[in-house]
Amino acid sequence: MEIGSVTTPFGRRSMTLGMLANQVMAGEIKPDQSVDKWKLFRALCEAKPLLGIGDRALAVLNALLSFYPKNELAEENGLIVFPSNIQLSLRTHGMAEQTVRRHLAALVEAGLLLRKDSPNGKRYVRRDRAGEVNEAFGFSLAPLLARAEEIEQLAAAVMAERLHVQRLRERITLCRRDIAKLIEAAVEEEIPGDWQGLHGEFRDLIEGLPRTPTAAQLELLLHELEALRTDILNRLEIRIKSAKQRGNANYIERHIQSSNPESTSELEPGFEPKQGAMAEQDKGREAEMLEEGRREAAQSRQEESRHSGGRNDGGGLKSFPLGLVLQACPEILAYGPDGVIRNWRDLMAAAVIVRSMLGVSPSAYEEAANVMGPENAATVMACILERGGHINSAGGYLRGLTRRSEKGEFAIGPMLMALLRANAPAGRKAG
């Protein structure tokens, strides 16, 4: 049986108020109080950050509990274990005896064990004639039993904190994914905005997080990421609402060109045909231009065929005469070699310069050339330059025309005719 008097440590080890407090607390165990030792040990493993003990100290405590004969820690079964340091070393898989002593001291300091030292400092037990334990000297597990409820509460708090951190990390991961993909979508759709700056701000937030962050640091990061995501979403929503007010891209394109190359009924806003006799004069002039242009186109194709071995336009689009294109789109002349465009090759070189100037990506222009053909892609680029003040995103507009061309829903003719009417009084000839 365990005597209730206060004991002091053997040898040069000094007595402290902490040891006295632990002994007083251990003396307050209820008579019928008991706890499963291994369940309590698992709770200790969870609560170790709050108790100030490490893994090796827990390994020593595990060895001590293995010397306790019952599964239930209870005062009626006795709470003293008395293995030697050699036996503890064996049950801790060869831990050095000096290390064992150090971790035993740490468990006592943490208030999880009590020393009950014998007069000579040895650990042993005295039994009566019936073999029952009369008095034992070693380590008392009474603090574990007395603090069982506290330890379980600490373990629950640690698990709750771990779950909280796990959920914070999940929300941060989702927020990071949202921000990265929204910025990527904005750049891909060529939406105006400082997306590079927002991406830099995003990277600064992520890289500023410590390797092992606390829950408070994760909460702060999540708050900042959510604010950044909200800012990006607001910018995109403003853009969407603005697009709705202007009408969608297909609606605008239907006012620029018709799917029927021979029809001139759908023209650019502001480029409406004249009434009465003036309209008849325009039609006659256009017919003359088209006839002249066809002859010029035939000569130009023969010239290009000699240089390129013969080239067919892609996408099945009709290729219009170079002279007609330059009369409809005189602005492109300034970007030709020496300010002059003499043939299709000069026009395509000028279109590449205009593409870069208007912010059209190389991939968008290459896709247009593959679908429409290089001459038609250069023609469309000249038309976009001519109407630059009416088009918000030249790259997005070109991609939209390319998609329509793939479906057979786009024709260059009506767009050229509308621009030709607008520029006919000031039309310039090719050099």
Side-chain angles (χ1 to χ4, degrees):
M1 297 270 311
E2 186 175 5
I3 60 174
S5 60
V6 172
T7 61
T8 57
F10 170 78
R12 290 178 295 179
R13 288 193 295 267
S14 60
M15 182 68 177
T16 65
L17 290 179
M19 292 180 183
L20 181 60
N22 289 335
Q23 292 187 35
V24 171
M25 177 186 61
E28 297 175 353
I29 298 174
K30 299 176 183 178
D32 58 346
Q33 186 175 352
S34 64
V35 65
D36 185 291
K37 65 179 182 180
W38 298 123
K39 181 180 178 181
L40 182 61
F41 180 74
R42 286 191 294 270
L44 276 168
C45 293
E46 292 286 353
K48 66 179 181 179
L50 301 181
L51 293 170
I53 55 174
D55 296 339
R56 305 201 77 185
L58 284 173
V60 173
L61 181 59
N62 180 75
L64 282 173
L65 289 173
S66 69
F67 284 102
Y68 189 77
K70 305 286 186 179
N71 281 332
E72 291 286 328
L73 284 179
E75 195 170 19
E76 62 182 13
N77 297 327
L79 294 171
I80 302 293
V81 288
F82 38 87
S84 66
N85 287 342
I86 294 176
Q87 291 173 318
L88 285 173
S89 177
L90 290 174
R91 294 209 184 180
T92 53
H93 307 286
M95 186 182 294
E97 290 187 35
Q98 184 178 2
T99 306
V100 169
R101 286 194 294 269
R102 186 171 69 251
H103 289 302
L104 285 170
L107 290 169
V108 172
E109 183 69 22
L112 299 176
L113 290 180
L114 282 179
R115 293 182 185 274
K116 188 181 178 184
D117 290 342
S118 65
N120 61 3
K122 302 295 184 181
R123 301 170 202 154
Y124 57 87
V125 62
R126 285 199 181 101
R127 300 180 184 273
D128 57 20
R129 292 186 177 182
E132 296 293 331
V133 175
N134 187 23
E135 189 172 9
F137 296 96
F139 292 100
S140 172
L141 303 176
L144 290 178
L145 183 58
R147 300 180 63 185
E149 185 176 350
E150 175 197 352
I151 291 169
E152 290 173 356
Q153 290 175 351
L154 292 175
V158 170
M159 288 188 287
E161 179 75 2
R162 184 167 61 244
L163 181 60
H164 178 55
V165 168
Q166 179 183 350
R167 289 176 177 172
L168 284 174
R169 289 184 178 276
E170 289 174 353
R171 291 175 63 188
I172 288 172
T173 299
L174 292 174
C175 204
R176 289 178 60 178
R177 184 180 70 190
D178 292 344
I179 291 172
K181 290 190 177 291
L182 286 172
I183 292 177
E184 181 182 358
V187 173
E188 181 67 22
E189 296 293 333
E190 300 180 348
I191 296 175
D194 185 17
W195 303 113
Q196 188 67 29
L198 288 173
H199 186 266
E201 181 181 348
F202 169 56
R203 294 308 312 167
D204 289 343
L205 288 175
I206 298 302
E207 292 170 1
L209 189 68
R211 183 179 295 273
T212 55
T214 63
Q217 290 171 326
L218 290 174
E219 287 173 354
L220 178 60
L221 174 63
L222 178 61
H223 175 73
E224 292 175 337
L225 288 176
E226 286 178 340
L228 180 59
R229 180 176 61 182
T230 300
D231 182 27
I232 294 172
L233 285 172
N234 287 339
R235 295 178 186 225
L236 295 178
E237 286 175 2
I238 291 172
R239 179 70 180 178
I240 291 170
K241 290 176 182 178
S242 176
K244 286 182 178 179
Q245 291 173 356
R246 292 194 309 268
N248 59 50
N250 288 334
Y251 178 80
I252 295 174
E253 289 168 12
R254 284 198 296 272
H255 288 271
I256 298 176
Q257 72 274 330
S258 167
S259 60
N260 183 0
E262 303 301 326
S263 173
T264 58
S265 61
E266 292 181 345
L267 302 175
E268 290 282 344
F271 296 154
E272 297 179 0
K274 300 177 182 179
Q275 301 293 327
M278 293 299 292
E280 293 297 328
Q281 292 177 8
D282 285 347
K283 291 180 181 178
R285 190 172 185 279
E286 288 172 15
E288 292 174 3
M289 288 181 180
L290 285 171
E291 183 61 30
E292 179 185 352
R294 289 191 185 97
R295 292 193 299 271
E296 183 180 344
Q299 296 174 359
S300 178
R301 288 192 184 93
Q302 290 176 2
E303 178 185 350
E304 293 295 322
S305 177
R306 286 195 300 271
H307 292 288
S308 62
R311 177 173 58 242
N312 295 325
D313 292 334
L317 286 179
K318 179 180 178 181
S319 179
F320 284 81
L322 178 62
L324 179 64
V325 173
L326 296 178
Q327 289 178 16
C329 309
E331 295 292 334
I332 194 74
L333 285 168
Y335 300 93
D338 300 323
V340 176
I341 294 179
R342 300 179 178 85
N343 50 44
W344 282 103
R345 184 172 298 170
D346 289 348
L347 179 64
M348 287 185 280
V352 171
I353 296 173
V354 170
R355 172 202 67 74
S356 177
M357 182 188 71
L358 295 180
V360 177
S361 65
S363 62
Y365 186 72
E366 182 180 358
E367 183 183 4
N370 291 336
V371 173
M372 302 178 185
E375 290 92 346
N376 286 328
T379 300
V380 170
M381 208 69 244
C383 293
I384 292 176
L385 173 66
E386 202 70 27
R387 298 206 64 251
H390 302 277
I391 298 172
N392 291 325
S393 173
Y397 185 76
L398 180 62
R399 287 187 186 276
L401 295 182
T402 302
R403 287 192 292 268
R404 292 191 63 190
S405 181
E406 286 179 324
K407 299 176 183 178
E409 299 175 354
F410 168 63
I412 301 176
M415 181 160 47
L416 283 174
M417 292 303 103
L419 292 172
L420 187 64
R421 288 192 182 91
N423 295 322
R428 285 172 280 180
K429 294 183 180 179

